[in-house]
Amino acid sequence: MRFGVLTGGGDCPGLNAAIRAIVRGSVARGHEVVGIRHGWRGLASNETTPLDRRAVAGILPRGGTILGTSSYDCFREENGVQLLTAATRALGLSGVIAIGGEGTLGIAHRLHAEHDYPVVGVPKTIDNDIAGTDVTIGFDTAVHICTEAIDRLHSTAESHNRVMVVEVMGRNTGWIAAASGVAGGADVILVPEVPSAIEDVADHIRARHDQGKDFSIAVVAEGYQLTRRSGEQDDPVVQEHDAYGYARLGGIGRVVADELTSLTGFETRVTVLGHVQRGGTPTARDRFLATRLGLEAVDLASAGAWGRMAAVRGNDIVSVPLAEATGSRRDVPSGWIEAGRVVA
Ligand code: F6P
């Protein structure tokens, strides 16, 4: 068989480990692999590269993706689906392994459901919000990076008696904020799933100061919507929209900091971690996860089990229909936020 492999949407650490596993797992089964550059766009515009064992040597610890990525959506382009299916035939592909998040897997699902297109998915996103799997590639590395940043901010916050607001990624869900907040010992964790009132946050910080703790760390997910005790809630803070109409979030850290300054009078600073969270070498856990998910995707493709996604359940690698993975979003369990509150 001949498989195409692509990475779509935002990059994350661990993509190269997945590509390597897909290539080597395929070769071990006697299949060929074609790398498709820049996500679904590369298939429509015939930007491909042959991938053999040697082509993926040395990429395991590298961040980013050797294939490049884009948020191209064939359903938004004129003749996009026809271009894609024609290219798939012309390349002699038995099917495509798509490594992606919500957007990329959503396209994979529609292609399969509406056009019987042969595709299997591998879940990646630092946001960790894909349904049907316990965890996605890139999440562990992002949490590690944020936790280290929170550790570093602790010492300088303490020296200056400041409130430090740390803005982390997580557009619809607060997995990174919750995990790194708990692991880094943050005093406040604000996530999109929980409408925490800013006045309560200010009270909590004031109470800490009254007890002699004159610094505080607040971790806020970029998708948190500022909420007041009155129940009033702002929209998420959007910087701009990209060429595909996708909202670029960012800036809620500043909004939270300004509110806390005016409510408490304490000196407050903001750190926005941004794309640092998506860069650099993947953790051992992400490399291991990407390798296992990549091999499962090869098994699915070899068996012609199109329309499915490799997934994690507990300690096992399983597969789920793409329909299940893309039908809903997976929120942070309330216990994670509660854990942060109890130990703060
Ligand atoms: O979905 C992953 C993610 O990192 C989000 O947390 C963030 O909002 C978005 O991607 C940023 O996308 P871009 O790289 O296009 O700015």
Side-chain angles (χ1 to χ4, degrees):
M1 295 172 91
R2 195 160 199 243
F3 304 136
V5 59
L6 62 83
T7 50
D11 73 343
C12 70
L15 291 175
N16 286 327
I19 294 168
R20 174 179 174 270
I22 289 164
V23 171
R24 295 200 168 169
S26 297
V27 170
R29 285 173 162 271
H31 306 310
E32 275 178 51
V33 183
V34 176
I36 299 161
R37 298 190 51 77
H38 313 302
W40 292 111
R41 190 182 87 204
L43 195 48
S45 56
N46 205 15
E47 292 173 81
T48 61
T49 178
L51 290 178
D52 57 14
R53 285 187 60 88
R54 182 171 296 201
V56 294
I59 68 171
L60 180 62
R62 277 170 58 189
T65 160
I66 59 162
L67 292 174
T69 184
S70 78
S71 299
Y72 173 91
D73 181 350
C74 55
F75 291 99
R76 288 172 174 240
E77 305 286 329
E78 211 178 321
N79 295 327
V81 176
Q82 286 86 335
L83 273 174
L84 228 94
T85 48
T88 307
R89 270 195 303 276
L91 286 164
L93 299 181
S94 316
V96 169
I97 299 175
I99 311 168
E102 198 183 11
T104 308
L105 297 175
I107 294 167
H109 169 55
R110 279 192 70 185
L111 282 170
H112 180 259
E114 297 170 20
H115 301 274
D116 201 20
Y117 188 85
V119 59
V120 298
V122 176
K124 71 82 216 174
T125 165
I126 63 166
D127 287 5
N128 200 38
D129 56 359
I130 305 292
T133 183
D134 290 354
V135 64
T136 57
I137 299 168
F139 173 61
D140 186 64
T141 308
V143 170
H144 185 81
I145 292 166
C146 295
T147 303
E148 192 189 346
I150 296 167
D151 286 349
R152 288 176 187 277
L153 288 168
H154 260 102
S155 60
T156 174
E158 194 167 9
S159 308
H160 291 270
N161 301 347
R162 282 173 176 158
V163 176
M164 292 292 201
V165 176
V166 192
E167 180 182 313
V168 301
M169 282 185 171
R171 39 190 312 110
N172 300 302
T173 58
W175 288 93
I176 299 174
S180 64
V182 171
D187 307 297
V188 172
I189 300 172
L190 297 172
V191 299
E193 293 93 325
V194 183
S196 314
I198 197 71
E199 294 90 342
D200 295 339
V201 174
D203 283 355
H204 175 64
I205 290 175
R206 233 184 272 108
R208 276 177 53 79
H209 284 229
D210 290 348
Q211 288 157 16
K213 286 273 189 188
D214 46 14
F215 74 94
S216 294
I217 308 272
V219 180
V220 55
E222 62 183 354
Y224 166 74
Q225 295 170 250
L226 189 81
T227 309
R228 296 181 195 285
R229 264 191 200 140
S230 62
E232 223 183 303
Q233 193 175 51
D234 290 359
D235 288 335
V237 181
V238 175
Q239 289 188 11
E240 56 186 344
H241 289 85
D242 72 8
Y244 301 97
Y246 186 73
R248 290 212 176 103
L249 300 186
I252 184 65
R254 178 78 265 157
V255 173
V256 167
D258 289 348
E259 289 285 335
L260 291 179
T261 307
S262 78
L263 289 167
T264 64
F266 299 141
E267 191 183 6
T268 307
R269 291 285 193 275
V270 187
T271 301
V272 181
L273 292 179
H275 289 83
V276 167
Q277 294 161 89
R278 293 219 315 239
T281 191
T283 58
R285 184 181 277 264
D286 264 331
R287 297 178 199 188
F288 184 64
L289 175 68
T291 301
R292 293 181 75 208
L293 289 174
L295 292 177
E296 173 67 14
V298 172
D299 283 350
L300 291 170
S302 304
W306 308 118
R308 299 190 70 81
M309 181 186 82
V312 179
R313 195 153 294 157
N315 281 324
D316 297 325
I317 297 293
V318 297
S319 74
V320 296
L322 276 169
E324 180 186 334
T326 57
S328 60
R329 196 172 279 135
R330 207 166 48 98
D331 287 348
V332 178
S334 54
W336 284 35
I337 306 297
E338 188 49 28
R341 282 208 187 107
V342 171
V343 296

